[in-house]
Amino acid sequence: MLAADENLPDLAGGASPWVADVYYENHTARRRHAGLAKFRNTLQVEADKQMGDGWAVRGILRGSWDGVYRMNKDEYGRRAGGPILLENTAAPLLPPVPTTAGTPLNLPKVPHGGGINNPIGTAIGLPPTNAFGFDLAANPNDAMRVLGDRWHRTEGGIAFGVPVRPCDSDSRGCRNFGGYGDLNVHELETPEFNDRLDFLRELYAKKTIPLADGTELFVKLGRQQVVWGRTDLFRVLDVVNPVDYSRNNIYDELQDIRIPMWIAQAEYRMGASEAMQDQNVQVVWNFDKFRPNNLGQCGSPNVMLDASCFFRGMANLWDNGGTVANFASVPPGVAGAWAATDFGPHQIGIRKVHLPEWSLSNTQLGVKYEGITKEGLAFSLNALTYRSQLPSLHAFGTGVVNPFTGGTGNTTPPAAGVPVSRLIAFDVHYPRVNLIGGSVDFQISEANAAIRMEAALTQGEEFQNTARRGLYSENRVLRTVIGVDRPTFIPFISKTRATLISAQLFWQHIFDHERQDGPLGTVGMADWEDNFIGTLLIKGFLAGDRVNPQLMMARDFRAKAFTIAPQIEWSVTDDFKVTLGANFKYANGDNHYKFDDTRSANPYPPFTTYTASGQAFVPGSAGLAGIEPLGRFRAGPFGAAVAEDDIYLTVRYRF
């Protein structure tokens, strides 16, 4: 008779069985003015196994379902949005000419579809501003919101309707920006279950290989996160993986919102030397298909900088045409008189998103040298070549329909292939970026403090620039951060346990920053040449470290925006945790964010030649400013979310 286990397969497959933890988490948030903003239920499995021959395997599976799209469908689901009215500051100067829908043109606001067009322009003695119109049946005044209405008033600037329903309910303006922008309601509520297999948070094998000279080679292959940074909230060196801001804006831990990629990692561990306690060289090859940051789809609760709403509205304008508030100068030369204007398809907007296809040249490669000196100074030197994780908009001129002539150039009569200058019609690109940088960590024992420093210099990043023909420029950028962590006894918090105080100061400098004065305002780059963001975290440890109150504050100094986020975390047991918190935002005011929106450019002479005091503008923007579209870069993540105050409850249980 055979023994009980003789000749039977070893189902464990190695030296030890799988060790797994299973977590369930519910995150519920309520937002001012919007109601329920999140009802996310997450199940996560973390499993490890020691294999034979020194190999180990780790996997993290995560799936979530967010019920907000069904429970608050009037705000974020299939019933979101509605008919809109758009500002029309020229109204008092225009005679009450009715539109085809019977709405007088000289009302302070006009409905989508009620801007000046060829018949109305002719009736009041103006050249036609849109000889070809758009079809309200294809782009109806319904299921929309006004661009930017979640964080600012139009206030004389441009704005237009933005479709906000999931793309299976309303496909207008839907574009694939690399994992977002064209999602249906099921994909929005279950974001991990997609064609990029995002439910695989991690799945990699690793091994340490001893070498003959006493050094080691560590290898790690699979879907993983590579953490280069040493800072919180904002990234300087930590850019190997893109980030999913749609999950909870910037307020979740980076380990929960980094997007894992298929990466090969090798680390040569040299050990100690005469000058060093330890040192190693790491090579990282991200061979996955390109993936940008997920900025959140317009119509969902978290849309970083409200950028995706601009993208979706502009894509809809390109596909279907639409009404743009306060666009045409009526009558010419009168300050503050700008009429809502109808545009036809293929005249303005976003035409195409150029997502880099997989190729060897489109993969990303990084090298890091890391060491610890005999004195305890830890440092790294980093280099990385990668694709920008943020989109860049390139204005194009050929192939755009001239709204005055019907041709595709900017001459009269139209000449095919003649580019249009500074027209707000864009393709989206993700340029190649090269980064060099480093970090330093050290202790100041006399002050009982730890210091963290990072710096990164990039080449190849692109910024919107209204002084350039293509409305963008390529600039070098320096980013630095210094952080200080100090345990401090604060008696009114705890007399027996130190409170953690952590402060950080970020600085970003854009080289060759371009700004110049135009007849009506500043022209050039909306982003600040130098910007500073400070953060402060105060975290207490009470009741045997089971109760942890904390207060996080952050200030964007140039945007004059501020956020404060109190939170208290209670570990009821080793397996059950409850967190109650909130985040509140404050900003200085909308006028601080206004910048040139290129309405006053001259793309179609002689029709669009704007005159003031008898002087005609040369081709280029005169600097007329509004909050859209570039004010979001001046407002930053706090200013652009100023109306999104949340109160939340998180419950987490480990089985």
Side-chain angles (χ1 to χ4, degrees):
M1 238 179 124
L2 292 174
D5 59 353
E6 188 174 345
N7 293 332
L8 294 179
D10 178 10
L11 297 181
S16 63
W18 285 95
V19 177
D21 288 310
V22 180
Y23 299 88
Y24 166 76
E25 180 184 273
N26 173 272
H27 180 96
T28 301
R30 182 172 182 82
R31 178 167 297 170
R32 179 165 60 101
H33 305 312
L36 186 71
K38 190 165 294 295
F39 187 72
R40 184 181 66 213
N41 299 271
T42 303
L43 190 67
Q44 181 163 309
V45 180
E46 301 180 6
D48 297 271
K49 179 175 174 56
Q50 294 296 322
M51 308 294 288
D53 196 29
W55 285 96
V57 175
R58 177 169 175 79
I60 298 179
L61 310 180
R62 186 177 80 183
S64 63
W65 178 76
D66 193 343
V68 70
Y69 299 99
R70 298 178 187 271
M71 299 167 72
N72 192 2
K73 62 180 66 176
D74 289 339
E75 189 72 26
Y76 302 116
R78 299 184 189 275
R79 294 204 300 256
I84 61 170
L85 294 173
L86 293 163
E87 203 173 71
N88 191 49
T89 56
L93 301 175
L94 297 175
V97 178
T99 67
T100 54
T103 303
L105 180 67
N106 66 336
L107 289 178
K109 290 189 176 183
V110 298
H112 168 75
I116 59 174
N117 51 36
N118 185 40
I120 294 176
T122 302
I124 61 177
L126 298 172
T129 57
N130 177 17
F132 303 95
F134 73 93
D135 184 1
L136 268 172
N139 189 14
N141 187 17
D142 191 23
M144 292 196 290
R145 297 185 65 156
V146 177
L147 176 66
D149 70 350
R150 297 204 302 183
W151 67 284
H152 69 83
R153 297 182 296 272
T154 303
E155 290 192 336
I158 64 169
F160 41 80
V162 178
V164 291
R165 292 179 183 173
C167 289
D168 56 337
S169 297
D170 188 348
S171 64
R172 289 179 295 171
C174 292
R175 294 279 195 280
N176 179 15
F177 278 83
Y180 70 99
D182 62 345
L183 304 180
N184 61 39
V185 68
H186 301 294
E187 293 167 324
L188 289 169
E189 63 189 4
T190 57
E192 288 87 3
F193 299 99
N194 53 33
D195 58 1
R196 296 300 294 266
L197 306 180
D198 282 348
F199 66 89
L200 294 175
R201 290 291 298 163
E202 292 184 5
L203 184 61
Y204 60 80
K206 62 181 180 179
K207 181 180 180 179
T208 300
I209 305 170
L211 302 178
D213 60 356
T215 60
E216 295 177 340
L217 179 65
F218 172 77
V219 293
K220 186 177 179 182
L221 177 64
R223 191 174 176 94
Q224 58 184 290
Q225 302 180 39
V226 174
V227 182
W228 273 10
R230 304 168 188 260
T231 57
D232 303 318
L233 211 61
F234 296 98
R235 304 186 301 161
V236 175
L237 290 172
D238 192 15
V239 294
V240 177
N241 293 77
V243 169
D244 181 7
Y245 292 111
S246 72
R247 187 168 173 87
N248 196 23
N249 208 310
I250 62 174
Y251 300 105
D252 276 3
E253 297 288 342
L254 279 170
Q255 67 181 11
D256 294 324
I257 60 175
R258 287 191 197 90
I259 300 174
M261 305 288 283
W262 293 100
I263 293 172
Q265 183 181 159
E267 191 173 291
Y268 177 47
R269 296 173 175 174
M270 296 171 279
S273 67
E274 291 185 3
M276 307 290 291
Q277 293 185 42
D278 196 12
Q279 54 185 329
N280 63 73
V281 175
Q282 181 189 71
V283 177
V284 174
W285 179 33
N286 181 348
F287 57 87
D288 207 345
K289 185 179 179 181
F290 171 74
R291 190 83 176 267
N293 292 335
N294 186 339
L295 302 181
Q297 181 166 302
C298 186
S300 60
N302 296 302
V303 182
M304 172 65 78
L305 295 176
D306 204 40
S308 296
C309 288
F310 173 68
F311 299 155
R312 187 170 180 180
M314 287 287 281
N316 181 43
L317 286 175
W318 178 262
D319 293 341
N320 301 306
T323 306
V324 181
N326 303 323
F327 194 91
S329 173
V330 179
V334 177
W338 302 90
T341 306
D342 287 348
F343 287 89
H346 298 177
Q347 294 179 9
I348 62 174
I350 289 178
R351 178 177 64 175
K352 186 177 180 181
V353 180
H354 296 272
L355 287 169
E357 295 294 333
W358 192 94
S359 68
L360 193 61
S361 62
N362 276 336
T363 60
Q364 305 173 69
L365 184 66
V367 179
K368 178 175 74 168
Y369 171 74
E370 192 171 30
I372 304 176
T373 67
K374 292 291 187 180
E375 294 76 20
L377 181 76
F379 68 94
S380 72
L381 299 173
N382 306 63
L384 179 69
T385 179
Y386 65 107
R387 285 280 186 172
S388 172
Q389 295 160 357
L390 293 173
S392 174
L393 275 62
H394 294 193
F396 63 91
T398 57
V400 180
V401 173
N402 185 319
F404 298 96
T405 65
T408 57
N410 65 346
T411 58
T412 305
V418 177
V420 178
S421 175
R422 295 175 176 83
L423 185 71
I424 49 178
F426 300 100
D427 282 346
V428 177
H429 295 263
Y430 294 88
R432 171 68 64 174
V433 176
N434 298 314
L435 175 150
I436 57 172
S439 65
V440 175
D441 287 9
F442 58 92
Q443 303 278 339
I444 302 179
S445 56
E446 295 83 357
N448 193 28
I451 309 297
R452 298 172 283 113
M453 302 175 67
E454 286 184 42
L457 177 66
T458 64
Q459 181 273 328
E461 291 191 62
E462 294 177 353
F463 298 85
Q464 301 313 130
N465 185 344
T466 62
R468 299 291 184 92
R469 184 184 187 92
L471 298 181
Y472 76 97
S473 61
E474 180 183 304
N475 298 78
R476 292 174 299 128
V477 183
L478 175 66
R479 294 183 178 90
T480 67
V481 60
I482 181 170
V484 180
D485 303 320
R486 187 182 191 279
T488 304
F489 280 100
I490 303 177
F492 75 86
I493 296 178
S494 174
K495 296 181 180 180
T496 59
R497 186 73 159 84
T499 297
L500 173 64
I501 299 179
S502 178
Q504 299 176 123
L505 182 65
F506 296 81
W507 171 43
Q508 175 179 284
H509 174 74
I510 301 174
F511 291 91
D512 303 316
H513 192 269
E514 191 170 359
R515 289 258 183 98
Q516 60 195 49
D517 291 331
L520 297 179
T522 303
V523 176
M525 298 173 65
D527 292 80
W528 310 102
E529 181 176 10
D530 291 281
N531 197 21
F532 297 88
I533 297 177
T535 69
L536 177 64
L537 172 68
I538 303 172
K539 184 171 184 177
F541 303 88
L542 307 175
D545 293 351
R546 287 197 175 274
V547 178
N548 304 122
Q550 75 171 41
L551 181 67
M552 190 277 290
M553 295 176 284
R555 170 74 170 174
D556 187 331
F557 290 95
R558 294 306 305 271
K560 300 182 180 179
F562 177 73
T563 186
I564 181 169
Q567 173 186 293
I568 185 165
E569 181 182 272
W570 178 26
S571 297
V572 183
T573 68
D574 291 343
D575 299 321
F576 181 42
K577 182 185 296 183
V578 179
T579 304
L580 176 65
N583 57 72
F584 305 101
K585 298 93 172 174
Y586 307 90
N588 189 59
D590 295 344
N591 284 328
H592 184 60
Y593 305 139
K594 288 186 176 181
F595 198 79
D596 176 29
D597 53 30
T598 74
R599 271 179 294 169
S600 54
N602 185 20
Y604 298 115
F607 303 107
T608 55
T609 301
Y610 180 81
T611 59
S613 304
Q615 300 296 319
F617 293 150
V618 298
S621 179
L624 182 67
I627 300 173
E628 295 294 344
L630 299 182
R632 55 185 30 87
F633 301 118
R634 298 167 69 81
F638 306 142
V642 67
E644 298 177 2
D645 294 342
D646 292 347
I647 299 176
Y648 61 88
L649 177 69
T650 301
V651 177
R652 182 179 176 89
Y653 185 76
R654 182 179 66 179
F655 293 93

